[in-house]
Amino acid sequence: MTDSKYFTTTKKGEIFELKAELNSDKKEKKKEAVKKVIASMTVGKDVSALFPDVVNCMQTDNLELKKLVYLYLMNYAKSQPDMAIMAVNTFVKDCEDPNPLIRALAVRTMGCIRVDKITEYLCEPLRKCLKDEDPYVRKTAAVCVAKLHDINAQLVEDQGFLDTLKDLISDSNPMVVANAVAALSEIAESHPSSNLLDLNPQSINKLLTALNECTEWGQIFILDCLANYMPKDDREAQSICERVTPRLSHANSAVVLSAVKVLMKFMEMLSKDLDYYGTLLKKLAPPLVTLLSAEPELQYVALRNINLIVQKRPEILKHEMKVFFVKYNDPIYVKLEKLDIMIRLASQANIAQVLAELKEYATEVDVDFVRKAVRAIGRCAIKVEQSAERCVSTLLDLIQTKVNYVVQEAIVVIKDIFRKYPNKYESVIATLCENLDSLDEPEARAAMIWIVGEYAERIDNADELLESFLEGFHDESTQVQLQLLTAIVKLFLKKPTETQELVQQVLSLATQDSDNPDLRDRGYIYWRLLSTDPVAAKEVVLAEKPLISEETDLIEPTLLDELICYIGTLASVYHKPPSAFVEGGRGVVHKSLPPRTASSESTESPETAPTGAASGDQPDVIPAQGDLLGDLLNLDLGPPVSGPPLAASSVQMGAVDLLGGGLDSLMGDEPEGIGDTNFGAPPATVTAAAAAAPARLGAPISSGLSDLFDLTSGVGTLSGSYVAPKAVWLPAMKAKGLEISGTFTRQVGSISMDLQLTNKALQVMTDFAIQFNRNSFGLAPAAPLQVHAPLSPNQTVELSLPLSTVGSVMKMEPLNNLQVAVKNNIDVFYFSTLYPLHVLFVEDGKMDRQMFLATWKDIPNENEAQFQIRDCPLNTEAASNKLQSSNIFTVAKRNVEGQDMLYQSLKLTNGIWVLAELRIQPGNPNFTDLELSLKCRAPEVSQHVYQAYETILKN
């Protein structure tokens, strides 16, 4: 007979009877009674009164009975903690039992009893079980440590269980290793700062050895742990990938996805030139394809993960397009996901196949799927330019079917194609206009109105078409109303004589009869624009539109990298980081892919590639100069994050260390010997080698540097850095009446941009904000642009904007180019200006003489640049003083054959040192000619330093 009989009793006085049976001498009767108790407990009856009687049954050799009693104990220990202590002795005893199954059962149950009073009694038995001779007991005890840590973390740390767990990673049994890894990972997740899983090549090797022999859950734990490891170089990454690859053929899809996660992560470190890289790409495709033959739910999870993989590395599945073709019996959620991946994989090679398939889908019965298929055709047109014509003719064929929802989706899609390929496919507008009456969805109506407004000059009856929409203006959705308003204004600007009445009608509807603030505001803006300045209105409303990008729905790259680290988890299904859906901070650690290594590293010998040297991949840190408009439009024009300008000696620009090698790391390769001198340290900290330099000076130096140490340095008085007069940076004609003049100043260690704003327009200007594009020295506003009162017509305001040098860095051409965006209530305006380099010369730029000599010798001769400054109106003393006031410091001075020679040093805000030798030729008593030699690890700055010298000395 089955156990179901235990669930059917409804006797009264049952508890009393059970009590008697539990205390019976007969083992069978006892067992039956415990089964009845468990059955009652399962259906929700309160049998806690029997606690002492059930606990008495623990003293038995019968494993089945023991399991049942332990089950009862786990359930009621929380509500009866005092009683539960009675069971502790039995636990301790069971942990010494000769039968390993009973020892393991005892330790497993101990971990499940979440009662503080009991936990301290369980430490000794747990310690023994962790060192038990039987691996089954050890693996159970490993998981128990994680459970105990959840109840009382401090106790686990004090008792040294974490160290024992770490030792278990080296256990001979693979299941023990897997459970130890699982337990440590669980504990580490609740304590992200603790470095519990201290992985090194030795422990990784042990994990990889255990990987082949443990159960599938064990393999998943180990693979997840491997995914958190950062290999020291590409060779180690390749070796791990080789040993993980066999897991791709595992029958369990979770193991496959965990292996894919490890490989995707470590592939970042492999050079694309390696043969192995190509082999790995080929090996990744079959397991992913196999996942798609599972049941629909698993398919969906696989597809969501594949969607991420395809965005990161489309080359893996580029030849597998056919497996993503939709089957007739696929559930809708699988169909839509496959459709998305098809578009991501679409290329010139397979577009014909994809379009034929999509056209087929567009005739299906499932409305949602058909809509998505039509949209997909449009996305293909935008993604693969060569297919655009074929896509448009496919869409026209679909419009001819006259199926309402197909027509509407096609029109929405064609609007995007017009945006991507202007003046190419406008011949289809006539066909679109024929279907005007059938449009009833807001998005389709809005798209059609946009097309009519945008191409009004090509449509003879554009005014009639738009008028037909105007009849039910107030019944339309906001989206349609806004689009209609803009379209009629466009039409008016193109055909002013015929449509005056129409535009007045729509403006009145939008402003006086509407209670939607967005619509009203847009109506008033157009009204004022048209009434005050029709030319400006034309520029605004009929401005050229930027082309739409190829794939608008790609996941943002940093988020994609994080999600790749979560393949095979919920995050990869939701396409959101765990922090977005896991409540509380527990268990959420931000992950990212390892940085890509340069292709050359794998082939270079250790001699030619010193560790830590940047090798050719620098542009990842500092991108090449981009399009001004694109970069500035991506900037948030709100007030910049304010912060005090950092002390120059400690500035670190972005992620690039420009201290040691100056701009070398900005420009690419480092010159030889870059590691020999410590440029980041203040000049006083001279290495022993540098201090001993004068003793070793055997060879004569052309510039006579060996005598430097006998000389007195020229010290001038500080009279303030030179400030150039203000220049017009943005003329009023280019900024709708706003004129901006300005200059740059440096005072007491702070850089400022002194601005003069003049309003030459006829309206008041407010809401000013400023933003800089990335630039060579990280200049950025250190505070918002504060224009305290509205700027009235013909009014001028002067203000000083403090700057910091901790902004984003990007090499500009020329080096001192600064691109600026200024926003006010009228528009956003862009201009660029050149800042004089001397505002970046810092106050602690005076180098100690011995350091100067050692550094001059250390910088290669090819880095030396020679310049001439003619007709300088200053003598040696005056020149030295004037330069010092702009933070160019004279280290030493001497006279050789009637020529005065000044040896000078200066330091830029990013830690670059520039050394100078200035020869002053005595000529005309009032004007002198100067010869300037500059040495610097970043020769690119020399030209700009020379310009600074000339500017300071001649003004």
Side-chain angles (χ1 to χ4, degrees), residues 58 70 87-97 103 106-107 110 118 120-126 128-129:
M58 278 174 83
Y70 279 172
V88 166
N89 279 338
T90 316
F91 278 133
V92 175
K93 223 160 116 190
D94 281 355
C95 285
E96 312 262 323
D97 196 277
R103 297 203 297 275
V107 83
M110 277 162 32
I118 296 181
E120 53 204 64
Y121 294 107
L122 305 181
C123 293
E124 261 334 292
L126 180 58
K128 284 180 185 163
C129 289

Side-chain angles (χ1 to χ4, degrees), residues 906-935:
L906 63 96
K907 185 173 157 194
L908 295 166
T909 49
N910 57 3
I912 295 173
W913 286 93
V914 181
L915 310 188
E917 177 190 85
L918 190 63
R919 292 174 183 240
I920 301 178
Q921 311 271 8
N924 181 321
N926 300 324
F927 291 98
T928 11
D929 287 344
L930 312 181
E931 278 183 22
L932 177 66
S933 296
L934 295 175
K935 257 193 165 188

Side-chain angles (χ1 to χ4, degrees), residues 165 261 329 445 470 516 617 657 900:
L165 258 190
K261 169 168 62 185
N329 57 352
R445 288 172 78 82
L470 208 53
N516 180 319
D617 223 28
D657 171 24
D900 281 335

Side-chain angles (χ1 to χ4, degrees), residues 1 61 105 112 136 146-147 209 231 325 336 358 361 411 503 588 883 901 931:
M1 190 172 176
D61 301 332
L105 181 65
C112 295
Y136 182 73
K147 291 178 181 172
T209 309
F325 285 175
L336 296 178
L358 292 175
Y361 300 161
I411 286 176
V503 82
V588 176
L883 290 167
M901 298 176 78
E931 278 183 22

Side-chain angles (χ1 to χ4, degrees), residues 728 730-740 758 760:
V728 175
L730 182 66
M733 280 179 65
K734 289 189 175 176
K736 300 185 182 174
L738 173 65
E739 181 176 281
I740 301 179
T758 306
K760 295 191 175 177

Side-chain angles (χ1 to χ4, degrees), residues 77-93:
K78 218 171 204 169
S79 56
Q80 309 260 355
D82 298 330
M83 293 273 203
I85 290 179
M86 294 162 46
V88 166
N89 279 338
T90 316
F91 278 133
V92 175
K93 223 160 116 190

Side-chain angles (χ1 to χ4, degrees), residues 77 304 536 550 566 577 673 781:
R304 291 294 279 174
E550 289 185 8
Y566 286 109

Side-chain angles (χ1 to χ4, degrees), residues 108-217:
R108 178 182 294 128
T109 311
M110 277 162 32
C112 295
I113 296 178
R114 303 179 64 82
V115 177
D116 280 339
K117 280 186 180 176
I118 296 181
T119 45
E120 53 204 64
Y121 294 107
L122 305 181
C123 293
E124 261 334 292
L126 180 58
R127 186 174 283 108
K128 284 180 185 163
C129 289
L130 280 167
K131 303 228 165 93
D132 198 283
E133 62 199 23
D134 193 284
Y136 182 73
V137 181
R138 292 201 301 277
K139 86 176 179 73
T140 312
V143 176
C144 187
V145 174
K147 291 178 181 172
L148 195 58
H149 188 275
D150 199 34
I151 303 164
N152 189 338
Q154 197 54 49
L155 181 74
V156 170
E157 285 164 34
D158 295 345
Q159 293 284 342
F161 288 146
L162 294 180
D163 296 328
T164 318
L165 258 190
K166 287 180 189 172
D167 296 341
L168 287 182
I169 288 185
S170 311
D171 199 277
S172 56
N173 185 287
M175 268 321 298
V176 178
V177 175
N179 278 19
V181 166
L184 282 169
S185 302
E186 178 81 18
I187 295 169
E189 274 186 4
S190 55
H191 291 69
S193 53
S194 64
N195 190 14
L196 286 177
L197 273 163
D198 186 15
L199 298 172
N200 53 45
Q202 290 72 38
S203 56
I204 288 293
N205 192 33
K206 287 171 186 161
L207 293 183
L208 287 165
T209 309
L211 186 63
N212 300 322
E213 299 170 42
C214 51
T215 64
E216 46 203 30
W217 281 113

